[in-house]
Amino acid sequence: DSGVTQTPKHLITATGQRVTLRCSPRSGDLSVYWYQQSLDQGLQFLIQYYNGEERAKGNILERFSAQQFPDLHSELNLSSLELGDSALYFCASSVAYGRVYEQYFGPGTRLTVT
Amino acid sequence: AQSVTQLGSHVSVSEGALVLLRCNYSSSVPPYLFWYVQYPNQGLQLLLKYTSAATLVKGINGFEAEFKKSETSFHLTKPSAHMSDAAEYFCAVSEEEGGSYIPTFGRGTSLIVHP
C-alpha cells in the first residue's frame, strides 16, 4: 500500500459525458501528479500540482483539467469524453519538487467510455 | 527531449534464471533514470533509481541496474528469477524542467516467469 488513494476504482460512462477522478496523496506529500495509461499511448504524464499550484504540464488535452485543493487532495476532470479516453488514470504523490523525489503511485481509476 | 526505448515487450525466463530487461534512453543532459514495477491491478512501484552517484544501482527485491553512458543504457538485472517477479517493468528517464522532474516512461516489458 503506497498510501495514495484514488476513487473510484472503476468508472463506466458514455461518450460526451463528464467525470471527476479523485486522489488523496500520502500524508505529508505536497506534490501530486496525474498520469494516463493506455494500450495505445503507454504511460503518459498529464499534469503536476504542488501545494495547490500547477507546476508542470504534459500531454493533457484541453478537455481535461485538474486542481489541487487546500487539503492537498486533487481532482482530475475529464469532459466531452471520447472512446479514446478509456484508460487507467494514475495519481502519484511526492514530498516536494525541485529534486528527484520518489513518486508513490495510487492503484488507479479504470475509466471505460462506451 | 528525452525518450526511452525498452527492447522487447515480453521477456520470458525460467524460475531461477537470470533476468535481463533492456532500456536505452535519449537525453540532452545527464539524466536521472528509474525502473518501476507494476503488478496486476496495482500502481507503479519504484524499484531503483540512478541520480548520478554510483553507476551500479541496487534496488528492492534483488534487482540492480547499471548506468552506461557510452551505451546510453540502463538495463535491469536479477541473478535468479522468482515466480513473484512476474509483472510489467517500466524504465523511465527524467530531466529537470522548470524546477520539476517529470519522468518519461518506456512502453514497458512484461516479465513472464515459468516454473
Side-chain angles (χ1 to χ4, degrees), chain A residues 33 35 37-43 45 48 55-56 88 90 97-103 105-107, chain B residues 32 34 36 38 41-46 49 51 88 90 94 97-103 105-107:
Chain A
Y33 310 76
Y35 295 89
Q37 185 179 36
S38 66
L39 288 175
D40 290 345
Q41 302 290 332
L43 192 60
F45 165 69
Q48 177 200 10
R55 284 296 313 172
L88 259 176
F90 287 107
Y97 74 96
R99 278 178 48 196
V100 183
Y101 292 103
E102 178 171 349
Q103 293 186 25
F105 282 76
Chain B
Y32 296 105
F34 310 81
Y36 287 85
Q38 184 180 25
N41 301 314
Q42 293 186 29
L44 278 69
Q45 180 184 6
L46 182 67
K49 66 182 178 186
T51 58
E88 191 84 13
F90 292 91
S94 182
E97 189 172 329
S100 285
Y101 292 84
I102 306 299
F105 290 87
R107 294 306 300 266

Side-chain angles (χ1 to χ4, degrees), chain B residues 8-38:
Chain B
S9 58
H10 295 82
V11 169
S12 183
V13 301
S14 298
E15 193 174 19
L18 171 73
V19 175
L20 171 61
L21 304 182
R22 300 178 187 274
C23 172
N24 288 89
Y25 69 91
S26 147
S27 174
S28 56
V29 298
Y32 296 105
L33 295 157
F34 310 81
W35 275 100
Y36 287 85
V37 61
Q38 184 180 25

Side-chain angles (χ1 to χ4, degrees), chain B residues 41-63:
Chain B
N41 301 314
Q42 293 186 29
L44 278 69
Q45 180 184 6
L46 182 67
L47 274 179
L48 49 81
K49 66 182 178 186
Y50 167 77
T51 58
S52 76
T55 56
L56 184 62
V57 182
K58 293 189 184 300
I60 61 173
N61 301 340
F63 284 93

